């Protein structure tokens, strides 16, 4: 079960009643935040989420609207008595950028650990997630992220019995342990059925459409993508500023065969994104014009999905 | 006429419905902002004020809650097409701190000019204001600011006639010009009555009570002061963290004989500052528990004051 909250839906600058785009994803009490613009810490409070659950922060890129809230967020996490380390992931230069911003947040009661990306694609295993970072196409180095939760097969007692695996090992093997005993090696696949479909959320701001985004969003349960402009006349602006129109985001969702698309990172000039929803759904029916604080619980395929907001 | 807007009333961190403490003061289309924490740019929009009117930004000190919103604010001022220079004033180190924060706002369409303070008191003449910066007592170097608008005497035609000042010079002298003609020097005081009472706003966060604050707030039309804690049991915390209680702020307002006191910079733990208003007014009757976006127009003594919010 994956708890998802899109904390804000704005691009460029925070506005009254529209926070900057940022995503929180929680799995088993561990949390991943993507981006942290000015005001994200307030959006976290408004959404009723806890600073304690932020174990990893992924940055798409270093434009102000995606990272300016970091020093304040770190201070508030410190004030909330966090002591466990926090892992920061982002493009090359991350430690230098964060170091500069920390001139106003020099003392924190927790360690920061940095993972800098400099390859076109990279897979990270963090807090139970398989995180794929992939380069997109913006006017500075920028990454999209796909967060996957893999799911092992069901426990199969019949198979375990057939192979004569001692009962006392069943539980440990089911939890993924490899056991050596009596000169034999026992592995989890010996007691498990075939792997089941996991969960996948793919996130991309800011970028022109790219094949890498489609590849990574492929069959995602949820694809969250910028739809900076709705008006078709803004297409030229989108090309020039290396952003995307709503139509382009929808075309990518369709090509990726995602289950659902949440549009976000709206231009301040687009005051009513829902004006473009009908057009968007004509391209990709599963499109949602996301709003601040939009939540969703993704459950594994043999559970039921629940929309909360 | 001085337009005053207290953009936020929070201390430490921005909260839902409570922006960080920051003040905007406008005189004849020129504006001075004091402090710029995370979200101040949103508070400016909510208050219906313009980014164009920010000509000077005064910083009390470099704790995150007083300066973390600067990079985003500067970017938004740039997006609003400001091209005139902006003057930044603050404790020594200002240029280094702002330079570090500008790692995410490196390109601006306007110049920044820096005035660093390293003396206990300093008077600056900027945009029609006489600004007195004075050191206060916090756990880092911190300044309070008193903003005065001086007011010349009334034009006195009788005096001008008595002294035989040519009619064509009257208007220029009234506007403050010094004129040399026919081997004589004509000065404004020759056509003006005695100086009239000006307007004064004094601002102080974060500090323990000090005599310097009382001296600078003396007879101020408006004294804006932190009242971090209301509960008398928090006095020890206030001493330790070098902040002030509401009672202490009121005692200073009384000693300074200010016309009105606005309390601000409330601790996040103090959810309802108005619980302490009665106590506060028993110490200083002119106390107001300020709220976000509180506005006031201060008019010269022969005009009428109007409370807007």
């Amino acid at each position: 079960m994956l708890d998802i909250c899109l904390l804000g839906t704005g691009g460029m600058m925070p506005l009254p009643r529209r926070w900057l785009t940022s995503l929180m994803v929680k799995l088993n009490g561990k949390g991943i935040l993507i981006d942290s613009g000015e005001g994200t810490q307030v959006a976290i409070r408004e959404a009723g989420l806890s600073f304690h659950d932020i174990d990893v922060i992924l940055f798409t890129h270093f434009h102000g609207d995606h990272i300016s809230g970091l020093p304040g967020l770190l201070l508030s996490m410190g004030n909330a008595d966090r002591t466990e380390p926090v892992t920061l992931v982002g493009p090359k230069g991350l430690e230098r950028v964060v170091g500069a911003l920390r001139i106003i947040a020099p003392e924190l009661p927790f360690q920061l650990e940095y993972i800098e990306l400099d390859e076109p694609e990279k897979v990270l295993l963090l807090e139970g997630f398989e995180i794929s970072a992939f380069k997109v196409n913006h006017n500075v180095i920028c990454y999209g992220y796909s967060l996957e939760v893999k799911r092992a097969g069901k426990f199969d007692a019949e198979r375990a019995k057939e192979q004569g695996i001692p009962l006392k090992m069943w539980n440990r093997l089911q939890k993924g342990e490899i056991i050596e005993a009596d000169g034999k090696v026992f592995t989890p696949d010996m007691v498990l059925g075939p792997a089941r479909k996991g969960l996948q959320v793919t996130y991309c701001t800011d970028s022109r459409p790219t094949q890498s985004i489609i590849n990574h969003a492929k069959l995602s349960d949820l694809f969250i993508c910028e739809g900076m402009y709705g008006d078709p006349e803004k297409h030229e602006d989108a090309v020039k500023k290396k952003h995307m129109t709503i139509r382009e985001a929808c075309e990518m969702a369709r090509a990726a065969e995602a289950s659902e698309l949440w549009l976000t990172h709206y231009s301040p000039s687009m005051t009513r994104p829902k004006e473009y929803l009908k057009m968007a759904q004509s391209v990709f029916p599963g499109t949602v014009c996301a709003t601040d604080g939009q939540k969703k619980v993704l459950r594994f395929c043999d559970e039921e999905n629940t929309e909360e907001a």
Side-chain angles (χ1 to χ4, degrees), chain A:
Chain A
M1 187 176 110
L2 215 50
D3 283 291
I4 291 163
C5 180
L6 186 65
L7 295 161
T9 58
M12 280 184 77
M13 56 190 74
L15 298 176
R17 289 168 299 285
R18 190 190 282 174
W19 297 115
L20 288 166
T21 295
S22 166
L23 184 75
M24 180 91 109
V25 180
K26 277 175 61 184
L27 173 73
N28 300 330
K30 294 289 183 178
I32 294 194
L33 182 72
I34 308 185
D35 285 343
S36 172
E38 184 173 355
T40 291
Q41 63 164 309
V42 189
I44 290 170
R45 285 181 194 275
E46 280 188 357
L49 300 173
S50 163
F51 294 128
H52 275 283
D53 298 338
I54 303 170
D55 300 288
V56 178
I57 308 178
L58 311 174
F59 291 98
T60 56
H61 62 301
F62 304 140
H63 279 157
D65 54 333
H66 294 259
I67 193 169
S68 54
L70 182 66
L73 175 65
L74 294 175
L75 287 169
S76 288
M77 289 168 71
N79 275 314
D81 292 326
R82 183 182 178 99
T83 52
E84 303 81 36
V86 176
T87 302
L88 306 183
V89 180
K92 200 171 159 76
L94 176 69
E95 189 165 355
R96 187 179 54 84
V97 172
V98 175
L101 293 176
R102 280 192 60 200
I103 193 159
I104 53 170
E107 284 167 38
L108 297 171
F110 51 85
Q111 287 292 313
L112 293 179
E113 289 164 4
Y114 295 91
I115 299 177
E116 299 200 351
L117 307 167
D118 59 1
E119 45 279 278
E121 296 197 16
K122 171 124 184 163
V123 176
L124 304 164
L125 301 176
L126 293 170
E127 309 293 0
F129 290 88
E130 184 174 311
I131 300 171
S132 300
F134 52 97
K135 218 178 241 182
V136 295
N137 176 18
H138 193 40
N139 54 16
V140 295
I141 302 286
C142 185
Y143 282 82
Y145 292 98
S146 199
L147 277 53
E148 275 185 84
V149 185
K150 303 280 189 182
R151 198 172 188 216
K154 260 193 174 158
F155 179 71
D156 187 338
E158 288 307 312
R159 286 193 66 210
K161 274 188 214 159
E162 277 165 27
Q163 295 168 92
I165 295 168
L167 196 68
K168 61 177 182 183
M169 293 184 186
W170 287 15
N171 191 257
R172 291 166 63 197
L173 290 169
Q174 191 186 354
K175 285 182 176 159
E177 222 176 296
I178 295 170
I179 302 170
E180 282 192 55
D182 309 326
K184 286 190 203 162
V185 177
F186 299 89
T187 55
D189 63 283
M190 298 168 83
V191 300
L192 299 176
R196 290 169 290 180
K197 186 187 174 303
L199 296 172
Q200 186 175 355
V201 179
T202 302
Y203 183 96
C204 176
T205 71
D206 307 356
S207 181
R208 292 292 305 141
T210 68
Q211 189 58 44
S212 68
I213 302 172
I214 296 169
N215 295 348
H216 283 277
K218 196 77 193 172
L219 300 176
S220 284
D221 298 282
L222 180 60
F223 175 35
I224 297 172
C225 188
E226 72 153 298
M228 184 93 174
Y229 305 106
D231 186 343
E233 289 188 5
K234 295 269 188 176
H235 185 263
E236 212 174 305
D237 275 359
V239 173
K240 205 172 69 186
K241 296 177 184 169
K242 298 251 186 178
H243 278 288
M244 231 182 277
T245 63
I246 286 180
R247 175 174 288 277
E248 289 172 325
C250 294
E251 284 165 350
M252 287 210 305
R254 185 174 61 190
E257 301 172 86
S259 299
E260 190 169 330
L261 166 69
W262 284 7
L263 295 169
T264 187
H265 202 276
Y266 306 128
S267 164
S269 67
M270 187 162 65
T271 49
R272 283 183 295 276
K274 282 188 179 158
E275 285 178 1
Y276 303 100
L277 184 60
K278 209 172 151 187
M279 173 279 289
Q281 289 180 337
S282 76
V283 180
F284 180 73
T287 305
V288 172
C289 282
T291 53
D292 280 33
Q294 184 130 8
K295 290 183 183 178
K296 192 177 178 81
V297 180
L298 287 180
R299 294 176 197 273
F300 293 107
C301 53
D302 43 6
E303 296 173 302
E304 200 185 316
N305 276 358
T306 313
E307 187 92 32
E308 287 189 9

